[in-house]
């Protein structure tokens, strides 16, 4: 969205939030539990709402779990916070709209509610998530890599001092983050991954709900590293690429056994399709500003990247810059290095999707995130050669 009233974009939303003193959390799961923990001392949480009948029978966190039909939406002060993953919430939002709830008036995503509540009421900064990428080094060669690694002549490995400085500056500005995500490349190939996790855990753990990284499931970390990862309570998403990379199957099985052995919390992620952002064949340079703003707004990309003291409005735009596909986009970043306390609401707005132009330059070369992207491809399909060699 384009900044039209910088520092005040959520004033009206806050007016609605302020008036809600009977809150329900939609989603009796991990997100719901965390939001409940963060809010229960300050706000009156009536209970959870969930479509799962079993959960309705059992209750959650000592609270009742309601069916949506049991909530009297006409009652003064009733508000719903959606505590479900951005990837699964679309049908729930539709369900609530059909029930008569209005977005940012009587129902709020957890990202918006928490960010606005922290900024306006607590004078603090809440972030839903951040993508942090120490290195693009990877052993695979995926055709549709979202880091655009096939376009790079060499891997981009950031100096440790820069990484440490980024972590420090981030936590000097941000009071609480739901998900700090260490991304890649293949993070387990980054030589200082253990030190990075240790540094974050030792210094900033009380500001993080989930510290997570990801692996492509084709790399076996040394046991010394596994010990460290376990000690510092990082969760790992293990991507299952065995179909595209069949020779990795034995490694995948061994990796799972090791994660079990070291009691590292993990989840296996197997998806049916990937998207290709297709920067070489997408050309929207002639689109009007208005059309580009609409594209950015409809894209719903949930990730921003932290790099060199800058927050990038869209992480894929940042990756494209690192890969040399596009130049610098000064309007698509927020400078944390020069941040002053009185910019708290601007920072919150930027994290929730506002920026100077209302889009980022890379939108002109990108086919968009999951919902809008028509280029569905096989996950982790391996390219014969790196793209820069063939173009
Ligand atoms: S269209 Fe592409 S560049 Fe633009 S916000 Fe979406 S993912 Fe980012």
């Amino acid at each position: 969205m384009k900044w039209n009233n910088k520092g005040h974009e959520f004033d009206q939303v806050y007016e609605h939030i302020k008036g809600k003193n009977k809150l329900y959390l939609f989603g009796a799961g991990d997100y719901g539990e965390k939001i409940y923990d963060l809010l229960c001392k300050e706000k009156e949480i009536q209970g959870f709402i969930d479509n799962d009948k079993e959960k309705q029978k059992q209750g959650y966190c000592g609270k009742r779990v309601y069916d949506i039909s049991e909530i009297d939406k006409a009652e003064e002060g009733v508000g719903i916070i959606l505590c479900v993953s951005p990837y699964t919430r679309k049908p729930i939002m539709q369900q609530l709209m059909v029930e008569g709830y209005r977005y940012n008036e009587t129902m709020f995503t957890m990202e918006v509610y928490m960010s606005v509540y922290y900024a306006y009421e607590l004078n603090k900064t809440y972030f839903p998530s951040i993508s942090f990428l120490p290195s693009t080094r990877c052993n695979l060669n995926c055709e549709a890599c979202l880091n655009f690694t096939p376009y790079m002549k060499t891997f981009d490995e950031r100096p440790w001092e820069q990484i440490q400085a980024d972590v420090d500056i981030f936590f000097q500005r941000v009071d609480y983050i739901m998900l700090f995500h260490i991304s890649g490349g293949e993070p387990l190939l980054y030589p200082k991954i253990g030190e990075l996790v240790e540094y974050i855990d030792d210094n900033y753990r009380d500001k993080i709900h989930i510290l997570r990284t990801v692996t492509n499931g084709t790399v076996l970390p040394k046991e010394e590293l596994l010990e460290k990862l376990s000690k510092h309570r990082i969760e790992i998403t293990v991507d299952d690429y065995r179909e595209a990379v069949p020779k990795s199957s034995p490694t995948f099985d061994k990796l799972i056994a090791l994660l079990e052995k070291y009691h590292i919390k993990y989840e296996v992620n197997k998806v049916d399709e990937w998207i290709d952002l297709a920067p070489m064949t997408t050309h929207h340079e002639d689109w009007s500003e208005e059309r580009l703003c609409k594209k950015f707004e409809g894209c719903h990309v949930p990730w921003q990247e932290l790099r060199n003291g800058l927050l990038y409005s869209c992480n894929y735009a940042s990756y494209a810059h690192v890969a040399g596909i596009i130049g610098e986009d000064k309007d698509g970043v927020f400078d944390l290095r020069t941040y002053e306390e009185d910019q708290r609401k601007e920072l919150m707005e930027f994290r929730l999707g506002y920026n100077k132009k209302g889009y980022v330059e890379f939108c002109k070369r990108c086919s968009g995130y999951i919902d809008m992207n028509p280029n569905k491809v096989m996950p982790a399909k391996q390219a014969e050669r790196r793209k820069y060699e063939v173009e």
Side-chain angles (χ1 to χ4, degrees):
M1 284 89 71
K2 190 173 178 163
W3 256 321
N4 291 317
N5 197 8
K6 213 174 187 178
H8 297 278
E9 298 289 357
F10 287 92
D11 285 3
Q12 243 189 333
V13 177
Y14 178 60
E15 286 306 310
H16 290 294
I17 283 179
K18 214 164 57 171
K20 302 291 171 287
N21 54 12
K22 292 187 182 108
L23 286 170
Y24 294 86
L25 308 181
F26 199 117
D30 182 50
Y31 283 120
E33 185 174 347
K34 190 61 208 172
I35 299 295
Y36 178 73
D37 284 350
L38 291 171
L39 288 179
C40 67
K41 287 196 187 82
E42 318 290 336
K43 297 276 170 187
E44 202 175 313
I45 310 289
Q46 305 292 304
F48 292 84
I49 304 171
D50 206 290
N51 290 330
D52 186 329
K53 300 281 175 217
E54 278 309 305
K55 288 182 177 174
Q56 290 170 15
K57 276 186 220 155
Q58 287 161 9
Y60 196 64
C61 299
K63 288 277 175 185
R64 200 175 148 194
V65 177
Y66 295 87
D67 185 90
I68 186 69
S69 61
E70 295 176 275
I71 311 300
D72 179 5
K73 62 176 176 294
E75 196 184 341
E76 185 76 22
V78 166
I80 295 180
I81 307 175
L82 278 173
C83 302
V84 285
S85 144
Y87 301 108
T88 54
R89 72 167 56 130
K90 205 172 160 186
I92 297 172
M93 288 188 88
Q94 281 161 352
Q95 179 190 2
L96 289 177
M97 281 177 182
V98 169
E99 293 282 343
Y101 292 92
R102 289 182 305 279
Y103 183 57
N104 277 348
E105 287 184 28
T106 47
M107 69 156 160
F108 312 88
T109 63
M110 58 183 172
E111 292 84 4
V112 168
Y113 186 95
M114 296 305 287
S115 304
V116 172
Y117 166 65
Y118 264 60
Y120 282 76
E121 230 162 285
L122 306 181
N123 209 22
K124 288 186 174 175
T125 302
Y126 173 95
F127 261 45
S129 64
I130 199 73
S131 169
F132 192 62
L133 204 153
S135 161
T136 60
R137 184 176 297 278
C138 191
N139 56 323
L140 295 184
N141 189 24
C142 301
E143 237 172 41
C145 173
L146 290 175
N147 285 124
F148 310 112
T149 312
Y151 297 91
M152 294 177 183
K153 295 248 186 264
T154 55
F155 293 123
D156 175 73
E157 201 143 281
R158 302 172 58 204
W160 172 246
E161 296 68 35
Q162 196 187 91
I163 286 171
Q164 240 179 341
D166 261 352
V167 171
D168 290 338
I169 203 168
F170 181 77
F171 284 107
Q172 281 156 16
R173 312 305 189 223
V174 174
D175 296 287
Y176 198 82
I177 181 162
M178 185 59 95
L179 170 62
F180 193 99
H181 194 268
I182 301 172
S183 186
E186 167 48 50
L188 296 182
L189 292 179
Y190 169 54
K192 280 184 170 287
I193 184 70
E195 283 90 328
L196 175 59
V197 172
E198 183 173 40
Y199 187 74
I200 296 170
D201 185 41
D202 283 351
N203 293 290
Y204 302 110
R205 193 60 199 218
D206 57 335
K207 293 182 166 214
I208 306 171
H209 176 44
I210 301 169
L211 177 59
R212 185 181 287 156
T213 190
V214 61
T215 175
N216 60 28
T218 69
V219 171
L220 279 184
K222 292 201 173 111
E223 303 222 3
E224 188 190 338
L225 173 59
L226 287 159
E227 252 172 50
K228 201 169 248 189
L229 296 179
S230 174
K231 181 177 168 203
H232 294 288
R233 297 163 295 157
I234 190 162
E235 298 179 15
I236 302 187
T237 301
V238 184
D239 284 328
D240 183 352
Y241 296 153
R242 286 176 291 178
E243 216 172 303
V245 193
K247 66 175 192 296
S248 70
S249 268
T251 307
F252 184 92
D253 295 339
K254 280 185 205 155
L255 175 66
I256 296 295
L258 281 168
L259 295 176
E260 296 275 353
K261 178 179 165 189
Y262 283 91
H263 306 291
I264 294 172
K265 191 171 174 188
Y266 70 92
E267 60 173 20
V268 173
N269 177 41
K270 187 166 170 38
V271 292
D272 296 334
E273 56 189 19
W274 269 12
I275 47 165
D276 186 350
L277 298 183
M280 292 306 156
T281 51
T282 308
H283 290 286
H284 296 155
E285 285 91 347
D286 58 344
W287 279 22
S288 66
E289 299 277 304
E290 196 189 346
R291 200 168 169 197
L292 287 163
C293 286
K294 272 201 184 127
K295 177 176 179 179
F296 180 85
E297 212 178 318
C299 182
H300 301 135
V301 63
W303 294 103
Q304 292 192 341
E305 203 207 356
L306 166 65
R307 178 179 286 269
N308 284 341
L310 300 175
L311 279 181
Y312 285 78
S313 189
C314 166
N315 63 331
Y316 301 113
S318 167
Y319 303 158
H321 176 49
V322 173
I325 296 170
I326 53 159
E328 208 178 342
D329 178 8
K330 286 198 175 123
D331 293 336
V333 297
F334 189 101
D335 196 335
L336 287 178
R337 298 164 305 183
T338 56
Y339 171 87
E340 303 277 350
E341 281 276 306
D342 61 2
Q343 288 177 287
R344 188 185 302 284
K345 287 179 186 160
E346 292 170 26
L347 174 57
M348 178 265 291
E349 289 164 2
F350 184 87
R351 181 60 193 95
L352 291 178
Y354 282 87
N355 62 44
K356 192 172 172 189
K357 288 194 303 215
Y359 64 93
V360 295
E361 276 303 298
F362 187 53
C363 292
K364 296 175 182 169
R365 298 284 306 276
C366 169
S367 295
Y369 200 56
I370 297 171
D371 287 352
M372 68 161 55
N373 191 309
N375 315 316
K376 309 295 184 206
V377 294
M378 179 188 180
K381 183 168 177 243
Q382 297 300 287
E384 294 283 305
R385 294 187 292 169
R386 298 217 172 264
K387 275 188 186 163
Y388 67 79
E389 291 172 343
V390 290
E391 270 163 12

